[in-house]
Amino acid sequence: MLILSNDWLSIIGRGEQTAVDMYLFVIDFEATCYEKNPPPRFFSEIIEVGGVIVNPQTREVINEYQTFVKPVLFPKLSLFCTALTSITQEQVNQGIPFAQAVQELRTFSTKYPSIFCSWGHYDRKQLKRQCNNFQVSYPFSAKHINLKEAHSQFYNVRRMGMKGALLYHGLSITGTHHRGIDDARNIAKITQKMLAEGWNWKDSEQSY
């Protein structure tokens, strides 16, 4: 499922005019969770995928991807999970299977050759863990950029959460925090700021 907001369409149109060898695929996952006392053998499953493609040369957003994913091991969302993410039971019930979401990510990253970027290691670890558990092939290469770490090193500041980094740069928060697509958009804004101020993304890529 591809969502393009009207505010971003003009940016996307300009961005595709300049092709690059590698794009930055900024991704944020939301997953099932409990505040405390999860069920026995609880396994957290991705329930939303949000992704934004950034051209590192022009710093423009090229495209974005969003979908809800239907959990199957523990299909009922906790009240805490819904309160935290604003994602409803109805939305995940109508979501696509995890394997399909992974395939769509693979297709998207093939259309836009890119490196997987996220704010911290959680998203990379969650995707790998769930791919292993569901016996689904991991959709990306071994390379990954931890943008939280890159931000800390580039500006020589402590590691901070996404909201803290936005405030640090005087950037407004877009949408709802802990929604995959909104968090991906916000992280993309921080990424654009870093690129504009001289950050070389190649210095931050790591293999896992």
Side-chain angles (χ1 to χ4, degrees):
M1 181 183 299
L2 186 64
I3 293 181
L4 301 177
S5 68
N6 291 332
D7 292 342
W8 288 47
L9 282 172
S10 60
I11 300 175
I12 292 167
R14 292 197 304 272
E16 288 198 296
Q17 295 175 7
T18 305
V20 297
D21 293 333
M22 189 67 68
Y23 295 94
L24 305 181
F25 197 175
V26 179
I27 297 175
D28 184 83
F29 298 118
E30 301 302 326
T32 54
C33 56
Y34 282 79
E35 185 175 19
K36 55 184 178 181
N37 301 323
R41 299 183 180 179
F42 173 70
F43 183 87
S44 181
E45 298 173 73
I46 292 169
I47 54 175
E48 187 191 5
V49 181
V52 175
I53 297 285
V54 176
N55 182 325
Q57 290 185 4
T58 65
R59 306 187 299 277
E60 292 174 319
V61 168
I62 302 302
N63 215 332
E64 60 179 31
Y65 171 85
Q66 188 274 345
T67 191
F68 292 110
V69 182
K70 186 175 183 177
V72 294
L73 299 179
F74 295 87
K76 184 173 175 58
L77 299 184
S78 69
L79 294 176
F80 172 76
C81 185
T82 295
L84 178 68
T85 65
S86 80
I87 298 171
T88 67
Q89 188 68 51
E90 181 180 7
Q91 286 173 317
V92 298
N93 287 348
Q94 296 175 358
I96 64 175
F98 173 71
Q100 181 180 341
V102 171
Q103 181 55 47
E104 291 183 3
L105 283 173
R106 181 179 291 109
T107 300
F108 212 69
S109 63
T110 300
K111 181 178 180 180
Y112 303 99
S114 53
I115 183 168
F116 174 18
C117 308
S118 62
W119 196 260
H121 285 298
Y122 163 78
D123 302 272
R124 175 183 61 82
K125 290 181 177 179
Q126 173 65 34
L127 181 60
K128 280 202 168 186
R129 183 165 52 242
Q130 192 163 344
C131 282
N132 290 337
N133 191 284
F134 282 67
Q135 298 183 330
V136 173
S137 178
Y138 187 71
F140 304 118
S141 73
K143 292 183 178 180
H144 174 263
I145 294 177
N146 179 341
L147 291 167
K148 178 190 286 188
E149 186 174 287
H151 181 270
S152 172
Q153 292 177 349
F154 181 66
Y155 291 104
N156 193 27
V157 295
R158 62 175 179 81
R159 296 181 187 181
M160 58 186 75
M162 180 200 77
K163 288 181 67 175
L166 288 168
L167 291 171
Y168 177 81
H169 293 291
L171 298 172
S172 60
I173 297 175
T174 298
T176 303
H177 190 23
H178 294 303
R179 275 295 311 277
I181 187 60
D182 290 337
D183 282 359
R185 288 169 176 166
N186 285 313
I187 296 166
K189 287 198 295 186
I190 300 167
T191 304
Q192 290 170 309
K193 180 71 171 177
M194 292 168 63
L195 290 166
E197 296 187 344
W199 172 60
N200 185 343
W201 64 269
K202 293 181 181 179
D203 293 338
S204 301
E205 60 180 343
Q206 299 286 335
S207 294
Y208 298 92

